[in-house]
Amino acid sequence: MNLPPRRLTSQLDVTISQPADIVFSVAVAATYTPAEEVLTMHLDGQPIDFHEISTNSGTRLHRVSKLPAGKLRVSYSALVDSPSLGMVEGEDQEIIYGRPSRYCDSDRLGQVAWTHFHQVPRADLVQAIRNWVNQKISYTPGSSRVVDGALETYLSRKGVCRDMAHLVITFCRAMNIPARLVSVYAPGLKPMDFHAVAEVYFDGGWHLVDATGLAPRQTMVRIATGRDASDTAFMTTMSGLTTLDRMSVTAIVEGDLPTDDAVVPVSLG
Amino acid sequence: MNLPPRRLTSQLDVTISQPADIVFSVAVAATYTPAEEVLTMHLDGQPIDFHEISTNSGTRLHRVSKLPAGKLRVSYSALVDSPSLGMVEGEDQEIIYGRPSRYCDSDRLGQVAWTHFHQVPRADLVQAIRNWVNQKISYTPGSSRVVDGALETYLSRKGVCRDMAHLVITFCRAMNIPARLVSVYAPGLKPMDFHAVAEVYFDGGWHLVDATGLAPRQTMVRIATGRDASDTAFMTTMSGLTTLDRMSVTAIVEGDLPTDDAVVPVSLG
Amino acid sequence: MNLPPRRLTSQLDVTISQPADIVFSVAVAATYTPAEEVLTMHLDGQPIDFHEISTNSGTRLHRVSKLPAGKLRVSYSALVDSPSLGMVEGEDQEIIYGRPSRYCDSDRLGQVAWTHFHQVPRADLVQAIRNWVNQKISYTPGSSRVVDGALETYLSRKGVCRDMAHLVITFCRAMNIPARLVSVYAPGLKPMDFHAVAEVYFDGGWHLVDATGLAPRQTMVRIATGRDASDTAFMTTMSGLTTLDRMSVTAIVEGDLPTDDAVVPVSLG
Amino acid sequence: MNLPPRRLTSQLDVTISQPADIVFSVAVAATYTPAEEVLTMHLDGQPIDFHEISTNSGTRLHRVSKLPAGKLRVSYSALVDSPSLGMVEGEDQEIIYGRPSRYCDSDRLGQVAWTHFHQVPRADLVQAIRNWVNQKISYTPGSSRVVDGALETYLSRKGVCRDMAHLVITFCRAMNIPARLVSVYAPGLKPMDFHAVAEVYFDGGWHLVDATGLAPRQTMVRIATGRDASDTAFMTTMSGLTTLDRMSVTAIVEGDLPTDDAVVPVSLG
């Protein structure tokens, strides 16, 4: 597929109240080779150093340590005009992403998944799970808490993109289908923000499943990949005391957004 | 340290009721070079093929696929007479093992950890956590369920080695100390079984913390390493229907068992 | 209906380690007029005083206060040969027993109940709920904990009489049908013990629903009535330290046990 | 004590979308004899009939049944100028309000309560519990959900009046002190709303405990009394489909508000 160039930016304003050690996850994954890419951090207006940490999942983390109190601004921009290389995936990935995780408690929801989906033919399972979550879970900003897992979403029938992705992942794992969470830049998302979608393994590859249907999958750009939201937070305070004051995200494609037909498998380009 | 040779065996008898795909995690970690090592699998008395999957955490998984119904026996034996090489650890390991996980819900128990430990000097924190779990959690076989996480253990004050290790890990992470779970062969453990202990990062290295005090840490031999018990199960049925009928584990050192002083840091040898 | 006489006994042996205040609920409800009834308590072999507390639900509680350390034996026997008078029920009962309670968290399980039962005609609802619990929940001694509520039973699909009754009650309430828990003497139960069943309000009266099917409902004899097991414990230590050492229960009808057809409504006689 | 007259009003606007059966709990408890009291209900502007249901707890419920779709307005006003008669309390009340309940899961939080309060002398226990909740739980509108119980409040350290009262009650019960929830009109509360406080049994009587400190206890007027918020909802839809569109509450004393010293026991007047 011929993907249009995607121009991405994010900016975080953070107040450091006590000397802090922070990890950011806002840059596109290591599988891309952006035509342009700039990441800067400033403390009280002065540029500061940070360093990049590579991970086995292709997620690029950027860490600042021993930051004194002050106002931190993190600015990222990238132009992605070529498709992603495939992720390097060992056979263990298929096993690891089948396990229950913090917010995808597939072990507790095993019987529930079975009840809903055991009569669905294997080939239709992922689509059936996507549709169930799309239809039964009401997308409701403010309805969930960061400690909530898939069980809460299942019981309350409410959540945001993260919760809906967690439930998709949980049902997939409970039905023995490996699945994981991906944070993305998502052109077309309204209101614009970081987005979270499920990535599910079938037919020999990983495919995006977005039960929210809020943005076309084809033009999403991968940031972090992991078991669930515990692995994909855009900001993690390792020590110290911080407050996120403001955040802005943009993701734009040149030309028209593609049309996304939810029944067609899409892999991250 | 001069470690005595350790002779390890495990044997699992499994009934396959419906064609199954199973992953075993009973072999010592990839960081060892055992003087002798034999792993065999037999189905209804006939030897069968399996293959090994390496993982980033050094855990060696052994997988059998499309196994027809029958009686499966898995037999493992090893003689470990040299110390383990260090694990290859990226800086991301320290970050990843600081995150909440399925059975170590450090995000929910953050305030609880703070209440118990915020007055403890940093240098004494791991020991204080170990002692708290050792003294407050009653080692009680049969008291916990496989879906239980650290919150349940904290509330009920009961559990087995796995639960006590999960609570140690959870408290550590809540206090910003990376921690993970290790399944081990543990000479001296009574009754003999697979054992689970916490491994905690401080002073630039990973150290074993065993709140049960049931076996000396020095002579333990690492099997699997992961975020919690979701990563270290000795047997995972990926598909099909299986029943574990019988399991036996042995772990013997030549000569006397070392004495383990709980206040001295020990790394896995 | 002509009910056969029922002969009931229970005996509890309790060690008092620290001076205690205990409430027992082993006597038949206030709606019966037993032909014979004896309740005695002995501490270290000497008879001791206790007093009876009446409750609005017809449950008779027997309380001993300021009991010194020692061995307490509670012995109860009764011969019930006439049917129960109806309970005195205000309109508020129907409202109160529609509310969520400690172990019947019908508010959390509302969507789940709706999923399973919204297509069932109103007249068949209670029977459908009874059958679902009977078929899907595996009666498994030792599988549940005293702090477990209906959500745990729903997820694990395992439990004992108390858990199955809690789930029946929870589903009923979630479908706007008042329901409560009754502890009973149950002739025919094997192994003999105190039994717990749901009592559900429909067609203008309260009817027994026993998803375990372990004993005929007609000859059960009511002990305590309440929202859930928090109201029907046979022994509650209000203060002090006690251990239940031994308990025996018998419940015998003269002649044959009646046959219980689960589809026929039965009220407690 | 000489209490000033209190003038109370509440008004609820409810849309009935499907024929409904609703119970309201907005009138002062049966222990008062208001100088003036008016309760009216109008559907689409026309007065409609309702009836009052008395309960053993003194709570007065007002029920409308088979209400067709339309706009319902419930208006209540009362002038309370004489003190409340005491509640009629059997000895069973002390027992019943010692039990765990839906949102006061004192059985799960038993060890936690013990940890925090076992060293506090009995006479100071209620005050210590009140202070702990007052200091550790941040009053945060919007932070909790209606299905949350005391465990959630304990873990998140956030909540509203209902949550703080639930935690006070739970800790009291766990320390063997009977406690219950009371909904009240609370002159001086800002912003004005229905309020919820704990009522705790000690020194032979029931006393108000309000960990929020948001209004003086002396001039509060009791509405409903129960185990927790499951018993005190101001509106319960028994069947049908309803939406609460608007609610307003006022509670005014003539003259100055009394000063409330949190360390002095206060009973509801």
Side-chain angles (χ1 to χ4, degrees), chain B residues 31-59:
Chain B
T31 50
Y32 297 96
T33 48
E36 306 166 15
E37 184 180 49
V38 180
L39 174 64
T40 62
M41 302 197 196
H42 290 79
L43 186 70
D44 295 332
Q46 300 300 315
I48 58 167
D49 284 339
F50 55 89
H51 74 289
E52 182 168 315
I53 301 168
S54 298
T55 73
N56 291 318
S57 65
T59 308

Coordinates of all heavy atoms in Angstrom, one line a residue, chain B residues 31-59:
Chain B
T31 N 21.9 -18.9 31.2 CA 23.2 -18.4 31.7 C 24.0 -19.5 32.3 O 25.2 -19.2 32.7 CB 22.8 -17.4 32.8 OG1 21.9 -17.9 33.7 CG2 22.3 -16.1 32.2
Y32 N 23.5 -20.7 32.5 CA 24.3 -21.8 33.0 C 24.9 -22.6 31.9 O 24.3 -22.7 30.8 CB 23.4 -22.7 33.9 CG 22.9 -22.1 35.1 CD1 21.6 -21.5 35.1 CD2 23.6 -22.0 36.3 CE1 21.1 -20.9 36.2 CE2 23.1 -21.4 37.4 CZ 21.8 -20.9 37.4 OH 21.3 -20.3 38.5
T33 N 26.0 -23.3 32.2 CA 26.5 -24.3 31.3 C 26.6 -25.6 32.1 O 27.6 -25.9 32.6 CB 27.9 -24.0 30.7 OG1 28.7 -23.5 31.8 CG2 27.7 -22.8 29.7
P34 N 25.5 -26.4 32.2 CA 25.5 -27.6 33.0 C 26.5 -28.6 32.5 O 26.7 -28.8 31.3 CB 24.0 -28.1 32.8 CG 23.2 -27.0 32.3 CD 24.2 -26.2 31.5
A35 N 27.1 -29.3 33.5 CA 28.0 -30.4 33.2 C 27.3 -31.5 32.5 O 27.8 -32.2 31.6 CB 28.7 -30.8 34.4
E36 N 26.1 -31.7 32.9 CA 25.2 -32.7 32.3 C 23.8 -32.1 32.2 O 23.4 -31.4 33.1 CB 25.1 -34.0 33.1 CG 26.4 -34.7 33.5 CD 26.2 -35.7 34.6 OE1 25.1 -36.1 34.8 OE2 27.2 -36.1 35.2
E37 N 23.1 -32.5 31.2 CA 21.7 -32.0 31.1 C 21.0 -32.9 30.1 O 21.4 -33.1 29.0 CB 21.6 -30.5 30.6 CG 20.2 -30.0 30.6 CD 20.1 -28.6 30.1 OE1 20.7 -28.2 29.1 OE2 19.4 -27.8 30.8
V38 N 19.9 -33.4 30.5 CA 19.0 -34.3 29.7 C 17.6 -33.9 29.8 O 17.0 -33.8 31.0 CB 19.1 -35.8 30.0 CG1 18.3 -36.6 29.1 CG2 20.6 -36.2 29.9
L39 N 16.9 -33.5 28.7 CA 15.5 -33.3 28.7 C 14.8 -34.2 27.7 O 15.2 -34.3 26.6 CB 15.1 -31.8 28.4 CG 13.7 -31.5 28.2 CD1 12.9 -31.7 29.5 CD2 13.5 -30.1 27.7
T40 N 13.9 -35.0 28.2 CA 13.2 -35.9 27.3 C 11.7 -35.8 27.5 O 11.2 -35.4 28.5 CB 13.5 -37.4 27.5 OG1 13.1 -37.7 28.9 CG2 15.0 -37.7 27.4
M41 N 10.9 -36.1 26.4 CA 9.5 -36.2 26.5 C 9.0 -37.4 25.8 O 9.5 -37.8 24.7 CB 8.8 -35.0 25.8 CG 9.3 -33.6 26.4 SD 8.2 -32.3 25.9 CE 9.2 -30.8 26.3
H42 N 8.1 -38.1 26.5 CA 7.6 -39.4 25.9 C 6.0 -39.3 25.9 O 5.5 -38.8 26.9 CB 8.0 -40.6 26.8 CG 9.4 -40.9 26.6 ND1 10.4 -40.2 27.3 CD2 10.1 -41.9 25.9 CE1 11.6 -40.7 27.0 NE2 11.4 -41.7 26.1
L43 N 5.4 -39.7 24.8 CA 4.0 -39.8 24.8 C 3.6 -41.3 24.7 O 4.0 -42.0 23.7 CB 3.4 -39.1 23.5 CG 1.9 -39.0 23.5 CD1 1.4 -38.1 24.6 CD2 1.5 -38.5 22.1
D44 N 2.9 -41.8 25.6 CA 2.5 -43.2 25.7 C 3.8 -44.1 25.6 O 3.8 -45.1 24.9 CB 1.5 -43.5 24.7 CG 0.1 -42.8 24.9 OD1 -0.2 -42.5 26.1 OD2 -0.6 -42.6 24.0
G45 N 4.8 -43.6 26.2 CA 6.1 -44.4 26.2 C 7.0 -44.2 25.1 O 8.2 -44.6 25.1
Q46 N 6.6 -43.5 24.0 CA 7.4 -43.3 22.8 C 8.0 -41.9 22.9 O 7.3 -40.9 23.2 CB 6.6 -43.4 21.5 CG 5.9 -44.7 21.4 CD 7.0 -45.8 21.3 OE1 8.0 -45.7 20.6 NE2 6.7 -46.9 22.0
P47 N 9.3 -41.8 22.6 CA 10.0 -40.4 22.7 C 9.4 -39.5 21.6 O 9.0 -40.0 20.5 CB 11.4 -40.7 22.4 CG 11.5 -42.1 21.7 CD 10.3 -42.8 22.3
I48 N 9.2 -38.3 21.9 CA 8.7 -37.3 20.9 C 9.6 -36.1 20.8 O 10.4 -35.8 21.7 CB 7.2 -36.8 21.3 CG1 7.3 -36.2 22.7 CG2 6.2 -38.0 21.2 CD1 6.0 -35.4 23.0
D49 N 9.4 -35.4 19.7 CA 10.2 -34.2 19.5 C 9.6 -33.0 20.1 O 8.4 -32.9 20.3 CB 10.3 -33.9 18.0 CG 11.3 -34.9 17.3 OD1 12.1 -35.5 18.0 OD2 11.1 -35.1 16.1
F50 N 10.5 -32.1 20.5 CA 10.1 -30.8 21.0 C 11.2 -29.8 20.5 O 12.2 -30.2 20.0 CB 10.0 -30.8 22.5 CG 11.2 -31.3 23.2 CD1 12.2 -30.3 23.6 CD2 11.4 -32.6 23.5 CE1 13.3 -30.8 24.2 CE2 12.6 -33.0 24.1 CZ 13.6 -32.1 24.5
H51 N 10.9 -28.5 20.7 CA 12.0 -27.6 20.4 C 12.1 -26.5 21.4 O 11.2 -26.3 22.2 CB 11.8 -27.0 19.0 CG 10.8 -26.0 18.8 ND1 9.4 -26.3 18.9 CD2 10.8 -24.7 18.6 CE1 8.7 -25.2 18.8 NE2 9.5 -24.2 18.6
E52 N 13.3 -25.9 21.4 CA 13.6 -24.9 22.5 C 13.4 -23.5 21.9 O 13.8 -23.2 20.8 CB 15.1 -25.1 22.9 CG 15.4 -24.1 24.0 CD 16.8 -24.5 24.7 OE1 17.0 -25.7 25.0 OE2 17.6 -23.5 24.9
I53 N 12.8 -22.7 22.7 CA 12.6 -21.3 22.3 C 13.4 -20.4 23.3 O 13.2 -20.5 24.5 CB 11.1 -20.9 22.4 CG1 10.3 -21.8 21.5 CG2 10.9 -19.4 22.1 CD1 8.8 -21.7 21.7
S54 N 14.3 -19.6 22.8 CA 15.1 -18.7 23.7 C 14.3 -17.4 23.9 O 13.5 -17.0 23.0 CB 16.4 -18.3 23.0 OG 17.2 -19.5 22.8
T55 N 14.5 -16.8 25.0 CA 13.8 -15.5 25.3 C 14.8 -14.5 25.7 O 15.9 -14.9 26.1 CB 12.7 -15.7 26.4 OG1 13.4 -15.8 27.6 CG2 11.9 -16.9 26.1
N56 N 14.4 -13.3 25.6 CA 15.3 -12.2 26.0 C 15.7 -12.2 27.5 O 16.7 -11.7 27.9 CB 14.6 -10.8 25.7 CG 14.5 -10.6 24.3 OD1 15.5 -10.9 23.5 ND2 13.4 -10.1 23.8
S57 N 14.8 -12.9 28.3 CA 15.1 -12.9 29.8 C 16.0 -14.1 30.1 O 16.3 -14.3 31.3 CB 13.8 -13.0 30.5 OG 13.2 -14.3 30.2
G58 N 16.5 -14.8 29.1 CA 17.3 -16.0 29.4 C 16.6 -17.2 29.8 O 17.2 -18.3 30.0
T59 N 15.3 -17.1 29.8 CA 14.4 -18.3 30.1 C 14.4 -19.2 28.9 O 14.2 -18.7 27.8 CB 13.0 -17.9 30.5 OG1 13.1 -16.9 31.5 CG2 12.2 -19.1 30.9

